[in-house]
Amino acid sequence: MSNIQEINRRRTFGIVSHPDAGKTTLTEKLLLFGGAIRVAGAVKSNKIKKGATSDFMEIERQRGISVATSVMGFEYGDYKVNILDTPGHQDFQEDTFRTLTAVDSVIIVIDAAKGVEPQTEKLMNVCRMRKTPVIVFINKMDRPAQDTFTLLDEVEEQLKIKVRPLSWPINNGPDFKGVYNLFDRSLKFFNPNIQEIEEGMKFEDLAHPDLENHIGDDADVLREEVELVEGVYPEFNHEAYLAGDLAPVFFGSALYNFGVQELLDSFVRIAPTPRAKEAEERVVEPLEEKFTGFVFKIHANIDPNHRSRIAFVKVCSGRFERNKMYTHTRLNKSFRISSPTAFMASKKETVDEAYPGDIIGVPDTGNFIIGDTLTEGEKIHYKGLPSFSPEMFRYVENADPMKSKQLNKGIDQLMDEGVAQLFTSVFNGRKIIGTVGQLQFEVIQYRLEHEYGAKCLFEPLSMHKACWIECEDEAILTEFKKRKHQKMAKDKRGRDVFMADSMFILQMAQSDFPDIKFHFTSEF
Ligand code: G4P
């Protein structure tokens, strides 16, 4: 198969949702279709149990399993599908945001009863930032749901994206009868007792009285609603979807395997092939001859006896070949990757080649950090891996003076993995760790002890936000840094960060220094 054929058949995407909307269940059902797993339950075990904020065994177990399930590739018809797993736990949302830089499209799962939830909105904001095409799957139709039109309005308003239903539910909850596929005009019946996939039944003309024989009293409602849908929503526009301006919507019940195959079939048909990627220097097209790729995730210490890590590299252009020399542009060094792994079906295997859209696992002994770029020599640095301002801050102190080297190394490596962010106070030189959730502090403490033999203590620090600052006028910046000396810090890359104690202090600083830009992400 030629490069272009290989690229065109790839679909690399992520599934995101607010916890509990059904992401895991849907992922599992898609994998069952793809033959990547054989029994239900295989993905479930990858979840951190609800409320487990300090269950370290669970976290460790999860880390072990999630290497295998971080990327799940399978063949589906002529397509090669790659699902990138995103952690469901809110405290790991930064990990999810980074994974979203490596996908070409996204499926957002929404609970039909709960509608759009806070986490859904945050994730959609990230998709919007990168114009990622989005498909919406409204799940749990077997349970009492909100009115369908109200739900769609909510999606449009809160997720700030136009929608176009491609299927339409017939009732919901205990009376859920199935969906009408608006695309190929067929009826699909829901039966909670039969989870096998049945072909949809062609039903071009909803006015036909035979409809009553199939869905009884719901026939009239369906007729009215579909008429309204066709009147209110414009035709599905593929270009608008690919541009990230329009989200097709499907309805179903992942638990009962209903609507999932329909989703997958439509997905492979309409979802984008690997997209061009913006680097600092230029835009790189997947069809370019030379290989480029970037690290979007690092997974450490799969085997605690060896400090091994796996760097996950998304192939962006050209063809990756095993044992070829590639340039690590940040270090300006050449590397030969001799045992890259691919994640196909349920096993991890060494691969000889990979194409744009694919993810390869590269064993690493500490050369890679998130965002690193590999090329055939060209100086390219991929953009798009922002750090967000953390929401919790603690001073980190060494609790075992004999182990300070281990502590520094451990903190360094954990930060490279993206577990949390490190800032160093300009005022007193103390190290500050910033995270999105409480769970990360516990993970850091635990991992420092178990993997690096170091002990640390955290000291509370009341802080509102870390803001990266920027100003065209150097003199104003210098004045600001002088005035705010006690609150200035450097991030890991040595950039200036203003640590605002409170929203009020931040607003004051913003009004006192209108020429300074305060950024809440590290990429601007
Ligand atoms: P998440 O990954 O988005 O957090 O959600 P997950 O798939 O784990 O689903 C959360 C809960 O919702 C699970 O129930 C799951 O079985 C249920 N669920 C998912 N899809 C559907 C659906 O289409 N219909 C119905 N009725 N339920 C659905 P749980 O009781 O929390 O877990 P479990 O004990 O079933 O594993």
PDB file of all heavy atoms in Angstrom, residues 317-338:
ATOM      1  N   SER A 317       4.148  13.215   9.887  1.00  0.00           N
ATOM      2  CA  SER A 317       4.369  13.221   8.434  1.00  0.00           C
ATOM      3  C   SER A 317       5.334  12.109   8.055  1.00  0.00           C
ATOM      4  O   SER A 317       6.054  11.570   8.901  1.00  0.00           O
ATOM      5  CB  SER A 317       4.945  14.571   7.989  1.00  0.00           C
ATOM      6  OG  SER A 317       6.243  14.723   8.513  1.00  0.00           O
ATOM      7  N   GLY A 318       5.343  11.798   6.762  1.00  0.00           N
ATOM      8  CA  GLY A 318       6.287  10.815   6.230  1.00  0.00           C
ATOM      9  C   GLY A 318       6.037   9.414   6.739  1.00  0.00           C
ATOM     10  O   GLY A 318       4.920   9.061   7.111  1.00  0.00           O
ATOM     11  N   ARG A 319       7.098   8.633   6.750  1.00  0.00           N
ATOM     12  CA  ARG A 319       6.969   7.256   7.215  1.00  0.00           C
ATOM     13  C   ARG A 319       8.053   7.010   8.259  1.00  0.00           C
ATOM     14  O   ARG A 319       9.236   7.251   8.000  1.00  0.00           O
ATOM     15  CB  ARG A 319       7.142   6.306   6.039  1.00  0.00           C
ATOM     16  CG  ARG A 319       6.816   4.872   6.404  1.00  0.00           C
ATOM     17  CD  ARG A 319       6.780   4.045   5.168  1.00  0.00           C
ATOM     18  NE  ARG A 319       8.151   3.796   4.725  1.00  0.00           N
ATOM     19  CZ  ARG A 319       8.563   2.617   4.261  1.00  0.00           C
ATOM     20  NH1 ARG A 319       7.724   1.625   4.157  1.00  0.00           N
ATOM     21  NH2 ARG A 319       9.805   2.455   3.876  1.00  0.00           N
ATOM     22  N   PHE A 320       7.630   6.542   9.412  1.00  0.00           N
ATOM     23  CA  PHE A 320       8.606   6.218  10.456  1.00  0.00           C
ATOM     24  C   PHE A 320       9.174   4.825  10.183  1.00  0.00           C
ATOM     25  O   PHE A 320       8.424   3.903   9.873  1.00  0.00           O
ATOM     26  CB  PHE A 320       7.929   6.237  11.825  1.00  0.00           C
ATOM     27  CG  PHE A 320       8.781   5.649  12.916  1.00  0.00           C
ATOM     28  CD1 PHE A 320       9.702   6.430  13.595  1.00  0.00           C
ATOM     29  CD2 PHE A 320       8.692   4.292  13.231  1.00  0.00           C
ATOM     30  CE1 PHE A 320      10.513   5.883  14.572  1.00  0.00           C
ATOM     31  CE2 PHE A 320       9.503   3.732  14.200  1.00  0.00           C
ATOM     32  CZ  PHE A 320      10.415   4.527  14.874  1.00  0.00           C
ATOM     33  N   GLU A 321      10.498   4.718  10.297  1.00  0.00           N
ATOM     34  CA  GLU A 321      11.106   3.394  10.114  1.00  0.00           C
ATOM     35  C   GLU A 321      11.985   3.040  11.301  1.00  0.00           C
ATOM     36  O   GLU A 321      12.744   3.869  11.784  1.00  0.00           O
ATOM     37  CB  GLU A 321      11.977   3.393   8.854  1.00  0.00           C
ATOM     38  CG  GLU A 321      11.171   3.360   7.579  1.00  0.00           C
ATOM     39  CD  GLU A 321      12.057   3.586   6.372  1.00  0.00           C
ATOM     40  OE1 GLU A 321      13.006   2.811   6.165  1.00  0.00           O
ATOM     41  OE2 GLU A 321      11.821   4.581   5.672  1.00  0.00           O
ATOM     42  N   ARG A 322      11.848   1.804  11.713  1.00  0.00           N
ATOM     43  CA  ARG A 322      12.657   1.308  12.824  1.00  0.00           C
ATOM     44  C   ARG A 322      14.140   1.328  12.439  1.00  0.00           C
ATOM     45  O   ARG A 322      14.486   1.099  11.283  1.00  0.00           O
ATOM     46  CB  ARG A 322      12.228  -0.123  13.142  1.00  0.00           C
ATOM     47  CG  ARG A 322      12.891  -0.714  14.348  1.00  0.00           C
ATOM     48  CD  ARG A 322      12.054  -1.855  14.848  1.00  0.00           C
ATOM     49  NE  ARG A 322      12.289  -3.079  14.089  1.00  0.00           N
ATOM     50  CZ  ARG A 322      13.103  -4.048  14.503  1.00  0.00           C
ATOM     51  NH1 ARG A 322      13.738  -3.938  15.639  1.00  0.00           N
ATOM     52  NH2 ARG A 322      13.259  -5.128  13.768  1.00  0.00           N
ATOM     53  N   ASN A 323      14.972   1.648  13.421  1.00  0.00           N
ATOM     54  CA  ASN A 323      16.435   1.626  13.251  1.00  0.00           C
ATOM     55  C   ASN A 323      17.013   2.730  12.363  1.00  0.00           C
ATOM     56  O   ASN A 323      18.206   2.759  12.116  1.00  0.00           O
ATOM     57  CB  ASN A 323      16.922   0.285  12.703  1.00  0.00           C
ATOM     58  CG  ASN A 323      17.032  -0.718  13.823  1.00  0.00           C
ATOM     59  OD1 ASN A 323      17.325  -0.334  14.966  1.00  0.00           O
ATOM     60  ND2 ASN A 323      16.781  -1.974  13.533  1.00  0.00           N
ATOM     61  N   LYS A 324      16.173   3.626  11.890  1.00  0.00           N
ATOM     62  CA  LYS A 324      16.686   4.743  11.107  1.00  0.00           C
ATOM     63  C   LYS A 324      17.127   5.834  12.093  1.00  0.00           C
ATOM     64  O   LYS A 324      16.589   5.920  13.193  1.00  0.00           O
ATOM     65  CB  LYS A 324      15.554   5.263  10.210  1.00  0.00           C
ATOM     66  CG  LYS A 324      16.030   6.045   9.032  1.00  0.00           C
ATOM     67  CD  LYS A 324      14.895   6.222   8.044  1.00  0.00           C
ATOM     68  CE  LYS A 324      15.234   7.367   7.110  1.00  0.00           C
ATOM     69  NZ  LYS A 324      14.220   7.583   6.111  1.00  0.00           N
ATOM     70  N   MET A 325      18.099   6.664  11.694  1.00  0.00           N
ATOM     71  CA  MET A 325      18.535   7.729  12.595  1.00  0.00           C
ATOM     72  C   MET A 325      17.588   8.926  12.475  1.00  0.00           C
ATOM     73  O   MET A 325      17.322   9.391  11.370  1.00  0.00           O
ATOM     74  CB  MET A 325      19.957   8.199  12.230  1.00  0.00           C
ATOM     75  CG  MET A 325      21.033   7.157  12.422  1.00  0.00           C
ATOM     76  SD  MET A 325      21.143   6.539  14.120  1.00  0.00           S
ATOM     77  CE  MET A 325      22.122   7.816  14.876  1.00  0.00           C
ATOM     78  N   TYR A 326      17.096   9.396  13.611  1.00  0.00           N
ATOM     79  CA  TYR A 326      16.234  10.587  13.604  1.00  0.00           C
ATOM     80  C   TYR A 326      16.815  11.656  14.517  1.00  0.00           C
ATOM     81  O   TYR A 326      17.502  11.346  15.487  1.00  0.00           O
ATOM     82  CB  TYR A 326      14.814  10.228  14.057  1.00  0.00           C
ATOM     83  CG  TYR A 326      14.077   9.386  13.039  1.00  0.00           C
ATOM     84  CD1 TYR A 326      13.617   8.111  13.357  1.00  0.00           C
ATOM     85  CD2 TYR A 326      13.869   9.879  11.745  1.00  0.00           C
ATOM     86  CE1 TYR A 326      12.958   7.336  12.412  1.00  0.00           C
ATOM     87  CE2 TYR A 326      13.210   9.105  10.801  1.00  0.00           C
ATOM     88  CZ  TYR A 326      12.766   7.848  11.132  1.00  0.00           C
ATOM     89  OH  TYR A 326      12.122   7.096  10.190  1.00  0.00           O
ATOM     90  N   THR A 327      16.481  12.908  14.186  1.00  0.00           N
ATOM     91  CA  THR A 327      17.011  14.021  14.974  1.00  0.00           C
ATOM     92  C   THR A 327      16.026  14.439  16.058  1.00  0.00           C
ATOM     93  O   THR A 327      14.846  14.645  15.790  1.00  0.00           O
ATOM     94  CB  THR A 327      17.283  15.244  14.057  1.00  0.00           C
ATOM     95  OG1 THR A 327      18.146  14.799  13.015  1.00  0.00           O
ATOM     96  CG2 THR A 327      17.940  16.384  14.811  1.00  0.00           C
ATOM     97  N   HIS A 328      16.543  14.543  17.262  1.00  0.00           N
ATOM     98  CA  HIS A 328      15.789  15.042  18.403  1.00  0.00           C
ATOM     99  C   HIS A 328      16.078  16.539  18.419  1.00  0.00           C
ATOM    100  O   HIS A 328      17.162  16.968  18.779  1.00  0.00           O
ATOM    101  CB  HIS A 328      16.353  14.335  19.645  1.00  0.00           C
ATOM    102  CG  HIS A 328      15.654  14.644  20.915  1.00  0.00           C
ATOM    103  ND1 HIS A 328      15.385  15.916  21.347  1.00  0.00           N
ATOM    104  CD2 HIS A 328      15.196  13.818  21.888  1.00  0.00           C
ATOM    105  CE1 HIS A 328      14.773  15.854  22.516  1.00  0.00           C
ATOM    106  NE2 HIS A 328      14.646  14.591  22.867  1.00  0.00           N
ATOM    107  N   THR A 329      15.111  17.353  17.975  1.00  0.00           N
ATOM    108  CA  THR A 329      15.462  18.745  17.675  1.00  0.00           C
ATOM    109  C   THR A 329      15.803  19.574  18.919  1.00  0.00           C
ATOM    110  O   THR A 329      16.583  20.499  18.834  1.00  0.00           O
ATOM    111  CB  THR A 329      14.371  19.465  16.854  1.00  0.00           C
ATOM    112  OG1 THR A 329      13.144  19.347  17.541  1.00  0.00           O
ATOM    113  CG2 THR A 329      14.242  18.862  15.476  1.00  0.00           C
ATOM    114  N   ARG A 330      15.227  19.262  20.064  1.00  0.00           N
ATOM    115  CA  ARG A 330      15.548  20.055  21.265  1.00  0.00           C
ATOM    116  C   ARG A 330      16.989  19.799  21.696  1.00  0.00           C
ATOM    117  O   ARG A 330      17.723  20.717  22.053  1.00  0.00           O
ATOM    118  CB  ARG A 330      14.579  19.729  22.411  1.00  0.00           C
ATOM    119  CG  ARG A 330      14.833  20.558  23.676  1.00  0.00           C
ATOM    120  CD  ARG A 330      13.795  20.245  24.751  1.00  0.00           C
ATOM    121  NE  ARG A 330      13.723  18.824  25.093  1.00  0.00           N
ATOM    122  CZ  ARG A 330      14.486  18.230  25.998  1.00  0.00           C
ATOM    123  NH1 ARG A 330      15.386  18.904  26.669  1.00  0.00           N
ATOM    124  NH2 ARG A 330      14.374  16.923  26.219  1.00  0.00           N
ATOM    125  N   LEU A 331      17.403  18.535  21.634  1.00  0.00           N
ATOM    126  CA  LEU A 331      18.763  18.206  22.084  1.00  0.00           C
ATOM    127  C   LEU A 331      19.779  18.300  20.944  1.00  0.00           C
ATOM    128  O   LEU A 331      20.978  18.187  21.172  1.00  0.00           O
ATOM    129  CB  LEU A 331      18.795  16.783  22.664  1.00  0.00           C
ATOM    130  CG  LEU A 331      17.887  16.511  23.860  1.00  0.00           C
ATOM    131  CD1 LEU A 331      18.031  15.060  24.297  1.00  0.00           C
ATOM    132  CD2 LEU A 331      18.232  17.438  25.023  1.00  0.00           C
ATOM    133  N   ASN A 332      19.250  18.451  19.730  1.00  0.00           N
ATOM    134  CA  ASN A 332      20.102  18.446  18.545  1.00  0.00           C
ATOM    135  C   ASN A 332      21.004  17.206  18.505  1.00  0.00           C
ATOM    136  O   ASN A 332      22.213  17.297  18.303  1.00  0.00           O
ATOM    137  CB  ASN A 332      20.925  19.742  18.503  1.00  0.00           C
ATOM    138  CG  ASN A 332      21.447  20.008  17.107  1.00  0.00           C
ATOM    139  OD1 ASN A 332      20.964  19.389  16.144  1.00  0.00           O
ATOM    140  ND2 ASN A 332      22.430  20.878  16.980  1.00  0.00           N
ATOM    141  N   LYS A 333      20.373  16.074  18.749  1.00  0.00           N
ATOM    142  CA  LYS A 333      21.113  14.809  18.778  1.00  0.00           C
ATOM    143  C   LYS A 333      20.409  13.806  17.869  1.00  0.00           C
ATOM    144  O   LYS A 333      19.203  13.890  17.663  1.00  0.00           O
ATOM    145  CB  LYS A 333      21.099  14.238  20.204  1.00  0.00           C
ATOM    146  CG  LYS A 333      22.368  14.602  20.992  1.00  0.00           C
ATOM    147  CD  LYS A 333      22.239  14.316  22.455  1.00  0.00           C
ATOM    148  CE  LYS A 333      22.145  12.869  22.897  1.00  0.00           C
ATOM    149  NZ  LYS A 333      22.132  12.785  24.383  1.00  0.00           N
ATOM    150  N   SER A 334      21.188  12.847  17.376  1.00  0.00           N
ATOM    151  CA  SER A 334      20.564  11.816  16.547  1.00  0.00           C
ATOM    152  C   SER A 334      20.241  10.589  17.391  1.00  0.00           C
ATOM    153  O   SER A 334      21.019  10.221  18.272  1.00  0.00           O
ATOM    154  CB  SER A 334      21.517  11.404  15.440  1.00  0.00           C
ATOM    155  OG  SER A 334      21.547  12.410  14.487  1.00  0.00           O
ATOM    156  N   PHE A 335      19.128   9.981  17.092  1.00  0.00           N
ATOM    157  CA  PHE A 335      18.713   8.784  17.821  1.00  0.00           C
ATOM    158  C   PHE A 335      18.320   7.684  16.852  1.00  0.00           C
ATOM    159  O   PHE A 335      17.715   7.947  15.821  1.00  0.00           O
ATOM    160  CB  PHE A 335      17.483   9.091  18.681  1.00  0.00           C
ATOM    161  CG  PHE A 335      17.800   9.762  19.972  1.00  0.00           C
ATOM    162  CD1 PHE A 335      17.893  11.140  20.041  1.00  0.00           C
ATOM    163  CD2 PHE A 335      18.020   9.012  21.119  1.00  0.00           C
ATOM    164  CE1 PHE A 335      18.192  11.766  21.233  1.00  0.00           C
ATOM    165  CE2 PHE A 335      18.324   9.637  22.320  1.00  0.00           C
ATOM    166  CZ  PHE A 335      18.412  11.017  22.376  1.00  0.00           C
ATOM    167  N   ARG A 336      18.644   6.463  17.233  1.00  0.00           N
ATOM    168  CA  ARG A 336      18.152   5.328  16.471  1.00  0.00           C
ATOM    169  C   ARG A 336      17.108   4.648  17.365  1.00  0.00           C
ATOM    170  O   ARG A 336      17.391   4.326  18.518  1.00  0.00           O
ATOM    171  CB  ARG A 336      19.304   4.365  16.201  1.00  0.00           C
ATOM    172  CG  ARG A 336      18.934   3.187  15.315  1.00  0.00           C
ATOM    173  CD  ARG A 336      20.002   2.099  15.358  1.00  0.00           C
ATOM    174  NE  ARG A 336      21.343   2.624  15.075  1.00  0.00           N
ATOM    175  CZ  ARG A 336      21.826   2.868  13.865  1.00  0.00           C
ATOM    176  NH1 ARG A 336      21.072   2.638  12.819  1.00  0.00           N
ATOM    177  NH2 ARG A 336      23.043   3.331  13.697  1.00  0.00           N
ATOM    178  N   ILE A 337      15.938   4.468  16.840  1.00  0.00           N
ATOM    179  CA  ILE A 337      14.905   3.840  17.667  1.00  0.00           C
ATOM    180  C   ILE A 337      14.802   2.385  17.239  1.00  0.00           C
ATOM    181  O   ILE A 337      14.313   2.073  16.156  1.00  0.00           O
ATOM    182  CB  ILE A 337      13.568   4.603  17.527  1.00  0.00           C
ATOM    183  CG1 ILE A 337      13.782   6.031  18.071  1.00  0.00           C
ATOM    184  CG2 ILE A 337      12.459   3.913  18.299  1.00  0.00           C
ATOM    185  CD1 ILE A 337      12.728   7.018  17.700  1.00  0.00           C
ATOM    186  N   SER A 338      15.293   1.510  18.115  1.00  0.00           N
ATOM    187  CA  SER A 338      15.412   0.124  17.683  1.00  0.00           C
ATOM    188  C   SER A 338      14.243  -0.749  18.115  1.00  0.00           C
ATOM    189  O   SER A 338      14.001  -1.792  17.520  1.00  0.00           O
ATOM    190  CB  SER A 338      16.726  -0.472  18.175  1.00  0.00           C
ATOM    191  OG  SER A 338      16.790  -0.303  19.557  1.00  0.00           O
TER     192      SER A 338
END
